[in-house]
Amino acid sequence: MRIIFTLLLFITLNGAHGAHIVGGREAAPHSRPYMASLQLRGRHFCGGVLVREDFVLTAAHCRIRGAVTVVLGAHSLSAPEDTKQSFNVSRIIQHPQYNEHENDVMLLKLDGQANLTSAVKVIPLSQRGPGPDNVCSTAGWGDVGDNNTFPDKLQEVGANVLSQQECRRRWETVLITRKMVCATGPVGIQGFCSGDSGGPLVCDGTSAGVVSFSGRQCANPGRPDVYMRSSSYRRWVREVFRNNSL
C-alpha cells in the first residue's frame, strides 16, 4: 500500500509529495487566525498552526533543507495584507520517535514572538481525541483538484471523524495507531492533498490533529485522510515549551 504525504509536488522529501484541500471552499478571510504558511523562497509548501507566540506545530515530514519562512495572519498568499507577520525559523524540533508515518509531528521555534491580533491567534491542543460527534474541519493552501491547481487564498472543508476500527479496515495493511485520527469529507471527494501537510484537524475550536498522509488519490474515502492525534503529543509539546521559556 503506497502512502502519500502532503508536500507540494516541486519538493521531494523521503519519497513523498504534495497535498491540498479538495472539494472545499474559500475560508472567510482571517477566520482561522491560527493558520501558518511554511514557505521556501516565497513559495508555500506546508501548513501549520500557532500553538504559542513563538512556536508553530506542523508535520515532521515537512522538514526540508533551506531557510524556511513562517507567515502568520495570511488569507491570500500573494496579496500584501497588513495582517501578515513573517518569521524565520530559529530551531526545528522533530518528534524524537518520528519514523516514516508514525509520530509525524514537529515544532518550529520562531526567531521572534508573534503579535497576537484578530488575524493572528494561538490555538489550543485538544485534551482528548475527537469522535464522530465532534464538529471538525481542515484547512490549507494545498492543491484543490489533485492536478497541481494551487489556490492563492485559504481553503477549508468539513471532516467526519472515523472510528479506529473503520479506519484500519479501510487502510488494510497500513498500521493505524492510537496516535492517529482518520477522517473523510462529509460529501463525496473531499479532504486534504498536496501542500496541506502540517495543517490542522480542527474540532470544536481546538487542534485535534496534524495533517499527515493520504492514499495515492487525494480525498479518496476508500483511504481516509490520516492526522496525528494532537492530544497524544500534549506532553511532548509541554516539555519543549519548558525547555524554551518565553
Side-chain angles (χ1 to χ4, degrees), residues 60-71:
H61 77 263
C62 286
R63 183 169 187 168
I64 62 172
R65 295 180 179 178
V68 173
T69 300
V70 175
V71 179

Side-chain angles (χ1 to χ4, degrees), residues 130-135 160-163:
D133 294 335
N134 290 101
V135 177
N160 291 343
V161 175
L162 302 178
S163 68

Side-chain angles (χ1 to χ4, degrees), residues 11-135:
I11 294 176
T12 300
L13 180 66
N14 296 333
H17 69 218
H20 57 260
I21 297 297
V22 176
R25 62 184 182 276
E26 181 181 336
H30 311 298
S31 59
R32 296 176 179 268
Y34 45 79
M35 290 295 299
S37 169
L38 277 55
Q39 300 182 7
L40 180 66
R41 296 188 292 274
R43 295 187 66 179
H44 171 89
F45 67 90
C46 270
V49 294
L50 188 68
V51 290
R52 200 175 78 171
E53 288 92 329
D54 57 342
F55 269 102
V56 163
L57 177 66
T58 186
H61 77 263
C62 286
R63 183 169 187 168
I64 62 172
R65 295 180 179 178
V68 173
T69 300
V70 175
V71 179
L72 306 173
H75 178 61
S76 165
L77 293 178
S78 64
E81 299 166 326
D82 59 10
T83 54
K84 289 181 181 177
Q85 301 178 38
S86 296
F87 298 89
N88 295 321
V89 175
S90 64
R91 188 180 178 195
I92 298 172
I93 308 168
Q94 281 184 324
H95 192 278
Q97 295 177 312
Y98 169 55
N99 180 21
E100 295 184 353
H101 68 286
E102 295 184 53
N103 300 304
D104 186 18
V105 293
M106 177 170 69
L107 284 165
L108 302 179
K109 179 76 164 63
L110 308 181
D111 67 347
Q113 293 185 31
N115 178 29
L116 300 185
T117 67
S118 60
V120 176
K121 294 182 180 179
V122 170
I123 187 171
L125 300 184
S126 297
Q127 295 188 20
R128 57 189 301 178
D133 294 335
N134 290 101
V135 177

Side-chain angles (χ1 to χ4, degrees), residues 156-175:
E156 64 183 8
V157 70
N160 291 343
V161 175
L162 302 178
S163 68
Q164 289 281 21
Q165 181 179 7
E166 178 62 17
C167 185
R168 288 167 181 161
R169 184 188 70 80
R170 296 195 197 185
W171 270 101
E172 299 175 337
T173 59
V174 173
L175 177 63

